[in-house]
Amino acid sequence: MTVEPFGELAVALSDSAVRAVFADPRFSRSATFTGGGTTLNAGMGQWGASGMDGPEHLAIRRGLSAGATAEVLVAKRQEFEDLADRLIATVCSGDGHFELNAAIAEPFAVQCLGIILGTDLGDPRRLRRAVDATVAIEGAEAEELEHAVRTLTMVCLRAAAGGAAGQNGDGLIPRMLQQLGDDRATRRLIAHNVLPYVVGGIENPFVAIGASLIGLLESAEARTTVRAEPERVAAVVDELLRLHPTGLMSFARAPMEDVELAGVTIAAGTPVVPMIGPANRDPVRYENPDTFSLARPPSRHLSFGWGPHFCVGEQLGRLQLELLLPRLVRRLPGLRLSVQRSELVKRTGHIVDGYDPIPLAWGR
Ligand code: HEM
């Protein structure tokens, strides 16, 4: 298939094909940084874990995986809960109307990541705008992208410098500095590797909060369960994530040799786009795939990827939704969209898409 301006590319649509593209070692991430496929990487350079393969990828990934482990999340849970409570209290003191992204999703995503990194990431709006430009496949001007990468680099360098000066408590960056040394070159290396973590760790939760809440408001079963059965909140969140992944697609991979995928031969070097959205609703794997249902067996859907690049922030992403969604429906009775569902604007042309703005109302 030829699609300008990408040249030759293939898309993987079924659950099994997407899983193969994510996990088969013949598919390479770094091979997509040449030719037309480069466009599919949006503004994400080949920095950090997500653009690499093999041992080099593993080494960086190992360092980043220490950021949001189960142990860290237990230790930091109260801080996340306090943050959620503060943001919702501000909404409660308002006039019954609010915009979800500005009031909750953006500050919650940015400040939770700051807690994990051990640094104050500054103005959530400014930072997320920069993040947004790096995940835009279409529409971001070269100058805007350059500015965004500079902003993010400065934030990461400042975080590393603060960590070296002992200002940042016990987050990921101070721990990396302790392990690797805190000279100038190491700080630059850490900032370089942490940058994609900042992008993924802000944009995905930001979008997931909006997409999951909209999904929740659409499903009476999801709403009632979240309100009344705290022990089933994790299952609700999992099903919402299956139905509403943060991006329909994920980063392309290119096979290093000719590969047969779902009966089609993909020539070496051809970028293949794993389509998470369709795969998560593959009727071969899911009965009534478009329906929210808690009766399904546990599914291991693909919203956090699969294989060697599987999301290193999965547990944090789930926890953020598990903390926020029940609080929102319990503390804001009558929570609803304040526009028709069809009027919501979905960002397109981004690796991570999602709705922006999301106007909501609550009360009578
Ligand atoms: C609901 C929230 C989240 C969703 C849906 C999500 C989704 C994903 C997906 C689909 C991938 C795989 C991309 C690919 O292989 O092409 C990924 C990778 C990644 N995610 Fe997440 N993510 C979330 C939260 C987070 C958080 C909170 C962090 C950081 C704290 C994070 C950091 C990363 C990193 C660094 C990678 C690259 C891993 C690698 O290449 O080895 N993500 N994420």
Side-chain angles (χ1 to χ4, degrees):
M1 187 198 311
T2 304
V3 184
E4 293 300 338
F6 307 112
E8 285 282 312
L9 62 74
V11 288
L13 293 163
S14 67
D15 173 88
S16 59
V18 170
R19 240 171 253 277
V21 174
F22 275 140
D24 185 328
R26 290 173 298 174
F27 284 94
S28 152
R29 277 288 297 129
S30 55
T32 64
F33 282 85
T34 52
T38 312
T39 321
L40 295 164
N41 289 311
M44 297 295 290
Q46 210 167 350
W47 344 274
S50 71
M52 296 176 176
D53 303 304
E56 204 187 0
H57 163 245
L58 265 185
I60 292 177
R61 185 184 161 86
R62 206 169 294 127
L64 297 177
S65 299
T69 58
E71 210 180 9
V72 169
L73 297 185
V74 168
K76 303 285 180 188
R77 184 180 174 115
Q78 193 60 52
E79 284 182 64
F80 300 139
E81 293 197 21
D82 293 346
L83 174 57
D85 289 339
R86 277 198 305 277
L87 294 170
I88 295 175
T90 306
V91 170
C92 286
S93 66
D95 64 1
H97 291 266
F98 67 105
E99 197 282 300
L100 180 76
N101 289 338
I104 308 271
E106 206 161 61
F108 191 66
V110 171
Q111 289 174 37
C112 283
L113 188 71
I115 292 169
I116 290 297
L117 290 177
T119 189
D120 180 351
L121 290 169
D123 178 12
R125 173 117 304 190
R126 177 168 175 262
L127 186 58
R128 214 198 54 77
R129 286 234 167 98
V131 166
D132 191 58
T134 64
V135 293
I137 294 176
E138 296 168 328
E141 301 295 332
E143 206 177 299
E144 189 190 347
L145 181 59
E146 204 179 298
H147 178 70
V149 172
R150 207 174 319 121
T151 303
L152 288 168
T153 306
M154 286 315 296
V155 166
C156 294
L157 278 172
R158 253 199 312 270
Q167 293 163 4
N168 287 339
D170 62 350
L172 176 65
I173 291 181
R175 266 180 279 131
M176 283 177 136
L177 287 160
Q178 272 168 20
Q179 279 161 16
L180 304 172
D182 67 2
D183 54 282
R184 204 154 170 257
T186 310
R187 270 181 254 155
R188 290 195 78 80
L189 180 73
I190 290 174
H192 187 77
N193 290 338
V194 161
L195 202 152
Y197 187 83
V198 168
V199 172
I202 289 177
E203 202 66 358
N204 279 300
F206 167 76
V207 170
I209 290 165
S212 301
L213 184 68
I214 294 168
L216 184 83
L217 295 177
E218 282 173 346
S219 160
E221 184 186 6
R223 257 188 344 264
T224 317
T225 310
V226 157
R227 201 174 287 128
E229 298 180 67
E231 69 288 356
R232 297 180 79 201
V233 169
V236 173
V237 164
D238 189 58
E239 178 68 348
L240 289 171
L241 281 163
R242 178 186 73 81
L243 281 168
H244 310 286
T246 52
L248 282 182
M249 58 182 273
S250 197
F251 289 116
R253 275 73 169 161
M256 307 298 285
E257 57 193 77
D258 290 1
V259 166
E260 196 178 303
L261 185 66
V264 177
T265 301
I266 313 281
T270 308
V272 185
V273 185
M275 299 297 290
I276 294 177
N280 276 359
R281 294 178 182 224
D282 182 345
V284 173
R285 187 168 172 107
Y286 302 101
E287 204 176 316
N288 297 324
D290 298 333
T291 308
F292 179 95
S293 168
L294 293 175
R296 300 179 192 287
S299 70
R300 300 308 311 248
H301 54 68
L302 295 162
S303 290
F304 291 100
W306 191 249
H309 290 274
F310 185 77
C311 178
V312 296
E314 179 213 5
Q315 296 183 75
L316 173 59
R318 288 181 184 278
L319 179 64
Q320 288 171 307
L321 297 173
E322 288 165 21
L323 295 179
L324 265 184
L325 296 182
R327 280 177 164 74
L328 287 167
V329 293
R330 284 187 207 136
R331 299 209 185 141
L332 303 172
L335 185 63
R336 60 195 179 274
L337 284 174
S338 57
V339 294
Q340 294 298 319
R341 174 75 166 79
S342 56
E343 288 175 58
L344 287 177
V345 179
K346 191 158 200 180
R347 293 186 319 175
T348 52
H350 283 63
I351 282 279
V352 179
D353 33 41
Y355 295 96
D356 195 20
I358 304 177
L360 295 171
W362 63 284
R364 288 180 188 279

